[in-house]
Amino acid sequence: MDRIRSGSKGALMILCSNPLAQYNAHKAEIDKAIQRVLNKGWYILGEETEAFESEFAEYVGVSHGIGVGSGTEALHIALAACGIGPGDEAVTVSHTAVATVAAIELTGARPVFVDIEPDYYTLDPHKLEEAITPNTKAIITVHLYGQSADMLPILDIAKKHGLRVIEDCAQAHGAMYRGRRVGSWGDMACFSFYPTKNLGALGDGGMVVTCNPELAEKARLLREYGWTERYISKIPGWNTRLDELQAAILRVKLRYLDADNDARANLASKYDHALEGLGFVTPKRGQESTHVYHLYVIRSTKRDEMQAFLEARGVGALIHYPVPVHLQPAYRDKVRRSDKLLETEKAACEVLSLPIYPELPEEDLQTVVKIAQYYGEERT
Ligand SMILES: *Cc1c(COP(=O)(O)O)cnc(C)c1O
């Protein structure tokens, strides 16, 4: 969710993420796909959406894909398809995009937070069981920054208590856990195609994926008024659809997703080497996981000074996320936390995302590195 803002001292020269660079990299193919849709005269839920749903489901390694209007809506639909509603609790993390929690709110259920593992920024399975009450119906695991949560222990606990598991994969398109892609582990999984994501549309978009045919059918109904046939609602539903233009654009970009993720990993390893020994904490990779570096997040106790320092020199380094959801005005009186969320609150004070996107020029990376190195040597 990187809405780019320009620095107070002038325009940023090096952006944290850059959807325009990605459009330019595949401009001819994308323009052709757009023209194809425009000339067909069918603009919402058609052949392009259906083709993209099956291509993306196949990529993830699941049997059903349901295209929707955004990642937030994907989570809302998945929770509702699993029967989560008023009176229920859904356990997740507070160190996430507010969208994860907004989706729980949309169902009328109550969000409950557990702490994160400080090395990986994902749900700490050791803290999970104490959060579960008789009202708990689901767990949403967030694969934050591009790396999977530790799914096996989470799935074990869910099974023991009869809970649904929904994966929030909005930052981890293509990431693997134990040799299988994220999105193929839970009962359902949700993706966002917001323009800055690893697979980004040129507008809003999202998808729910699952291997469970009944849940897939329910999600499909919910996305369009509960229609089984046109104008006949079987169940009450909503309207949250993926449009044909975005689907056609995403079909082009899906073909480059693995190469783009490799490019991100390559940039990340350059950062890793260049920042070694300077007092920053660089991203750790889980033994069971591959990392697709949606964000390259370092930690420093002098984070705020460093961000200002970078911004003054034209580098857009962002904070994901500055205030944990349980401390935000909209949520702080509504949510329940099962532990003190100490690691969550500590991370919020220390994390900083350095620019990373597949087309980031080498010289820009070197510029960021030089500033960071100077800062590391001078001030830590
Ligand atoms: C981006 C994001 C979402 C929401 O996606 P939208 O398409 O912007 O609604 C949900 N969860 C996480 C972790 C995200 O990063």
Side-chain angles (χ1 to χ4, degrees):
M1 312 263 275
D2 306 329
R3 275 144 192 125
I4 307 301
R5 64 205 163 85
S6 54
S8 51
K9 308 219 168 62
L12 294 178
M13 290 172 293
I14 303 178
L15 300 170
C16 199
S17 62
N18 191 341
L20 177 60
Q22 178 115 119
Y23 167 59
N24 284 331
H26 309 296
K27 187 171 170 21
E29 274 184 278
I30 290 172
D31 287 354
K32 210 170 130 206
I34 290 172
Q35 278 306 318
R36 184 174 73 230
V37 173
L38 294 183
N39 290 325
K40 245 193 273 183
W42 186 279
Y43 302 123
I44 300 263
L45 294 184
E47 287 168 6
E48 298 287 346
T49 305
E50 267 173 43
F52 177 58
E53 285 173 342
S54 55
E55 286 160 13
F56 190 68
E58 191 189 328
Y59 175 84
V60 174
V62 296
S63 35
H64 305 276
I66 299 102
V68 296
S70 71
T72 308
E73 276 302 326
L75 288 162
H76 176 208
I77 294 274
L79 285 160
C82 288
I84 313 308
D88 297 335
E89 290 186 343
V91 179
T92 190
V93 287
S94 183
H95 187 68
T96 182
V98 78
T100 315
V101 183
I104 299 172
E105 281 278 320
L106 276 169
T107 67
R110 189 184 197 197
V112 175
F113 293 128
V114 296
D115 213 353
I116 52 167
E117 293 190 85
D119 285 347
Y120 306 112
Y121 307 101
T122 50
L123 192 149
D124 184 346
H126 300 104
K127 309 262 175 71
L128 181 54
E129 220 156 3
E130 65 196 79
I132 294 169
T133 72
N135 294 329
T136 310
K137 294 284 151 54
I139 300 162
I140 303 184
T141 58
V142 184
H143 306 309
L144 203 72
Y145 301 155
Q147 186 166 235
S148 179
D150 194 6
M151 290 305 289
L152 280 193
I154 294 170
L155 290 165
D156 280 347
I157 293 167
K159 196 167 168 198
K160 185 171 149 199
H161 294 270
L163 309 176
R164 293 289 194 185
V165 175
I166 296 169
E167 298 173 71
D168 181 342
C169 305
Q171 299 192 2
H173 313 68
M176 301 275 203
Y177 175 76
R178 292 184 168 244
R180 253 169 64 192
R181 293 211 196 272
V182 301
S184 66
W185 291 90
D187 293 290
M188 303 189 100
C190 302
F191 289 86
S192 162
F193 305 120
Y194 184 77
T196 61
K197 307 292 187 183
N198 288 37
L199 180 59
L202 299 177
D204 271 315
M207 196 179 292
V208 180
V209 301
T210 181
C211 284
N212 180 320
E214 283 97 51
L215 291 177
E217 175 61 14
K218 187 89 187 287
R220 212 170 279 284
L221 292 186
L222 289 173
R223 94 171 150 186
E224 198 175 34
Y225 311 120
W227 285 352
T228 38
E229 54 187 301
R230 203 156 245 257
Y231 311 129
I232 311 293
S233 297
K234 187 179 172 196
I235 54 169
W238 300 286
N239 163 14
T240 172
R241 299 173 296 215
L242 185 63
D243 70 67
E244 290 283 280
L245 276 175
Q246 301 309 334
I249 292 161
L250 287 163
R251 290 180 73 194
V252 172
K253 288 210 189 174
L254 177 57
R255 297 201 283 273
Y256 299 100
L257 177 56
D258 286 339
D260 284 347
N261 283 343
D262 288 346
R264 287 174 184 272
N266 187 31
L267 294 164
S269 92
K270 286 183 181 162
Y271 273 135
D272 286 345
H273 291 303
L275 299 179
E276 217 180 301
L278 294 175
F280 306 118
V281 178
T282 51
K284 290 197 179 64
R285 207 144 96 181
Q287 277 189 347
E288 311 290 358
S289 308
T290 64
H291 201 315
V292 294
Y293 296 99
H294 171 60
L295 297 168
Y296 184 88
V297 178
I298 63 169
R299 284 175 89 133
S300 163
T301 50
K302 312 248 172 67
R303 188 268 315 272
D304 292 334
E305 293 153 65
M306 185 171 172
Q307 187 194 22
F309 187 93
L310 285 160
E311 187 167 310
R313 284 153 187 80
V315 176
L318 301 177
I319 298 170
H320 300 90
Y321 294 89
V323 180
V325 182
H326 69 278
L327 298 179
Q328 298 193 17
Y331 296 104
R332 69 187 159 214
D333 301 326
K334 289 182 154 183
V335 299
R336 193 165 72 73
R337 43 170 146 167
S338 74
D339 63 79
K340 292 203 163 73
L341 307 181
L342 292 178
E343 295 299 345
T344 294
E345 292 187 7
K346 195 165 166 229
C349 297
E350 296 182 359
V351 292
L352 184 65
S353 308
L354 300 182
I356 193 163
Y357 54 90
E359 301 78 13
L360 181 73
E362 172 77 25
E363 65 202 76
D364 285 2
L365 181 129
Q366 292 308 335
T367 302
V368 179
V369 159
K370 263 188 220 117
I371 296 171
Q373 281 171 340
Y374 168 77
Y375 193 86
E377 284 159 15
E378 289 295 296
R379 339 246 154 152
T380 30

